[in-house]
Amino acid sequence: MFLSGEKMRLLAVTCAVLAIALTGEAMAGCPPAPEPVRDIVMERYYSDETGSEVDADKKRAKDNAAAPLKAFREDVSKSADEAVSRRSVGEELMSFNGLEPACAVSWLASWARGGALLGRMSSKQAEAQRRFELAGLTLAYIKLQPETSLEDRAAIEPWLVAVADKARA
């Protein structure tokens, strides 16, 4: 059975709309990405010049400032690890008890488009935190690449390079 030109166009448009609806944050079951963190404001948490004595209050303030970054990195990384594990044994990637790999990719793309980690760093401690987050998110992205659309790659990859360039400066 062959479809007429009009029916073929309708089918193509329907497929395109479905493909768009099932990618990124519009994917059913994906929680919205946390707001991108552009600036990191945290101070050194040592009480002495040599960095051998931790000031508990300053450390707590630093940990509180890093909490949204840590939560984002951990969620994305756990999803990436699960994706690799499932690919290695040939299991389906859906029904993961956590952030689905496609959602993790969507979150990375959201942070990329929002310029996360590209803003002001308040101190050397903040700069170190940016490098730490960059390392974790880059490793997670490498694991998630097989699940990443060309559109999301076009956002994520230049963003990772831009964050690396800022971290080196």
Side-chain angles (χ1 to χ4, degrees), residues 14-94:
T14 302
C15 288
V17 168
L18 282 174
I20 291 168
L22 293 175
T23 59
E25 292 177 327
M27 178 179 258
C30 283
E35 283 296 312
V37 176
R38 287 190 48 81
D39 304 324
I40 300 178
V41 178
M42 62 180 58
E43 300 310 317
R44 187 171 189 272
Y45 56 87
Y46 296 101
S47 58
D48 63 334
E49 290 300 316
T50 62
S52 61
E53 294 179 33
V54 173
D55 178 306
D57 291 334
K58 289 180 180 180
K59 175 74 164 80
R60 197 170 13 268
K62 180 263 183 200
D63 290 345
N64 288 338
L69 297 164
K70 179 181 179 185
F72 182 83
R73 177 182 28 82
E74 286 180 349
D75 286 345
V76 171
S77 293
K78 285 176 188 173
S79 178
D81 290 343
E82 181 70 15
V84 168
S85 176
R86 288 181 177 208
R87 273 196 306 273
S88 70
V89 294
E91 289 182 22
E92 181 62 36
L93 287 177
M94 299 308 281

Side-chain angles (χ1 to χ4, degrees), residues 77-128:
S77 293
K78 285 176 188 173
S79 178
D81 290 343
E82 181 70 15
V84 168
S85 176
R86 288 181 177 208
R87 273 196 306 273
S88 70
V89 294
E91 289 182 22
E92 181 62 36
L93 287 177
M94 299 308 281
S95 304
F96 170 52
N97 189 17
L99 186 65
E100 296 289 344
C103 297
V105 169
S106 174
W107 280 22
L108 281 172
S110 174
W111 272 40
R113 291 181 182 104
L117 307 175
L118 293 173
R120 184 179 76 83
M121 301 296 114
S122 67
S123 65
K124 289 187 183 281
Q125 186 68 48
E127 291 171 6

